[in-house]
Amino acid sequence: MTTHFERLTKSMSVLSLNARAVGQKYYELSCYPEVVKEHIWVNQMVARATVPLMQQVLVKMEEFPKDELYHILTSYMKKHIAEETDHDEWYVNDLKLLGISREEIFSRVPPPSVAALTGSQYYWINHHHPVSFMGYLGCLEVYHPTVEYVEGLITNSGLPREAFSTVMEHAVIDAQHKEDIIRTINSLPLTEELYKSIELSAFQTFRYVAKVMEDVCRAAP
Amino acid sequence: MTKEQSHSDHLHAEGIINKDELTEEHLKAIDSLSKEEVEQIKKINKTIQKTSPGVGIML
């Protein structure tokens, strides 16, 4: 029997194409330090929304205490909130090593692509069903960087290794997060309608990730 | 007058997707892409390294 995640993977192989291609273009441009700095900065912008989004899932799930998904989803979110807490601050520390102050980080207006990527999830959570958010997590936790890839960014950009501590940490810990999200998605008792909402949320995530990374690539001279 | 092909028809004809394996929602999602995004998919499908790790944004 095909699992939810196997089904999602099949869909995502097509839907992830643009995002993966822009990711490849970014890697080719990583010889420009300003592009890599921008990449770390936008990851901070996205990371600052991660825990609040998961907290919003918990808030909304309280409206459905008898929902079959309640225990699986809330248990996963509580565990994952603990795992993701302070990652945005880790990026702040890395950016400081690149000469970008906390004040600069938080006073900059984020690109609309970042607001679209994270903000669209508030719609899925608040106005459809919080389980849709698993599509967002499925994309970003599963398609994570590898240690070899991060080593390439360090070499290509010539930026100090210490500034990549959060990116490198994700290359390591996301392998475990990937297994957790796959197991959780597969264990969800989903109706066809709810499965489709996860799939569309994943689709939208890939689409907006491509736009965020296109913006990052524009930092190239 | 010939009816204009949808994005999913176009990508199917190029061998990039198999419409028979995709759901109606899936096809609608592909059809909602911009023309530029579809062109990008066509272009990169030929060149992308299938092992390309990550998409750049990480949690």
Side-chain angles (χ1 to χ4, degrees):
Chain A
M1 189 184 156
T2 307
T3 66
H4 296 317
F5 193 76
E6 283 166 350
R7 196 175 160 194
L8 205 54
T9 301
K10 198 171 180 183
S11 311
M12 289 199 284
S13 67
V14 176
L15 302 181
S16 67
L17 271 176
N18 269 2
R20 289 163 59 212
V22 182
Q24 198 167 302
K25 180 179 165 193
Y26 161 70
Y27 190 77
E28 287 160 14
L29 292 172
S30 62
C31 55
Y32 298 110
E34 46 277 70
V35 175
V36 179
K37 271 189 201 179
E38 180 67 4
H39 179 225
I40 296 173
W41 201 336
V42 298
N43 267 289
Q44 197 285 332
M45 292 173 182
V46 173
R48 69 176 84 148
T50 309
V51 170
L53 278 167
M54 289 191 283
Q55 286 168 334
Q56 193 57 30
V57 170
L58 291 177
V59 167
K60 283 303 285 185
M61 282 311 290
E62 289 308 315
E63 294 176 16
F64 312 102
K66 291 186 179 164
D67 192 304
E68 277 190 293
L69 303 171
Y70 181 88
H71 287 293
I72 300 172
L73 211 49
T74 54
S75 300
Y76 174 81
M77 291 302 159
K78 284 174 186 169
K79 177 172 180 278
H80 205 43
I81 284 171
E83 289 167 342
E84 294 290 334
T85 296
D86 290 337
H87 287 202
D88 51 337
E89 282 298 317
W90 297 357
Y91 281 118
V92 171
N93 292 334
D94 290 349
L95 288 165
K96 280 184 192 166
L97 296 172
L98 296 174
I100 304 167
S101 69
R102 170 178 287 275
E103 192 189 3
E104 281 178 274
I105 293 166
F106 289 101
S107 61
R108 177 178 164 188
V109 177
S113 53
V114 170
L117 172 67
T118 55
S120 58
Q121 289 303 317
Y122 283 99
Y123 184 90
W124 287 109
I125 294 167
N126 288 330
H127 305 294
H128 186 60
H129 193 293
V131 77
S132 315
F133 185 59
M134 297 303 273
Y136 178 87
L137 292 177
C139 291
L140 302 183
E141 297 283 18
V142 171
Y143 288 79
H144 63 82
T146 59
V147 171
E148 189 186 17
Y149 175 84
V150 181
E151 288 289 351
L153 294 181
I154 296 169
T155 305
N156 295 350
S157 67
L159 291 170
R161 170 175 290 276
E162 298 73 34
F164 291 83
S165 66
T166 308
V167 179
M168 186 61 93
E169 182 75 10
H170 281 95
V172 177
I173 60 175
D174 280 355
Q176 180 57 47
H177 291 178
K178 174 181 174 175
E179 294 310 312
D180 285 346
I181 186 97
I182 291 171
R183 195 168 41 246
T184 305
I185 288 174
N186 284 340
S187 69
L188 292 168
L190 296 173
T191 61
E192 183 61 15
E193 181 236 347
L194 289 177
Y195 168 79
K196 283 174 183 169
S197 78
I198 293 177
E199 190 177 73
L200 283 176
S201 160
F203 168 80
Q204 194 173 33
T205 299
F206 277 128
R207 193 176 184 190
Y208 289 142
V209 161
K211 292 188 181 303
V212 169
M213 291 304 289
E214 277 170 6
D215 286 342
V216 168
C217 290
R218 286 194 191 97
Chain B
M1 193 175 148
T2 314
K3 193 184 165 200
E4 196 179 336
Q5 273 194 322
S6 66
H7 292 329
S8 50
D9 286 336
H10 201 57
L11 292 171
H12 180 82
E14 294 267 337
I16 296 168
I17 61 168
N18 181 354
K19 283 183 71 174
D20 300 334
E21 292 180 350
L22 301 176
T23 63
E24 193 61 30
E25 283 71 22
H26 223 140
L27 297 173
K28 276 185 201 163
I30 290 170
D31 288 336
S32 74
L33 293 170
S34 69
K35 207 169 178 178
E36 289 71 29
E37 285 172 311
V38 173
E39 285 307 311
Q40 198 174 17
I41 285 179
K42 278 168 57 186
K43 188 175 155 198
I44 60 186
N45 187 59
K46 292 171 186 155
T47 57
I48 193 164
Q49 294 164 19
K50 299 293 182 190
T51 54
S52 177
V55 289
I57 301 299
M58 57 211 84
L59 297 181

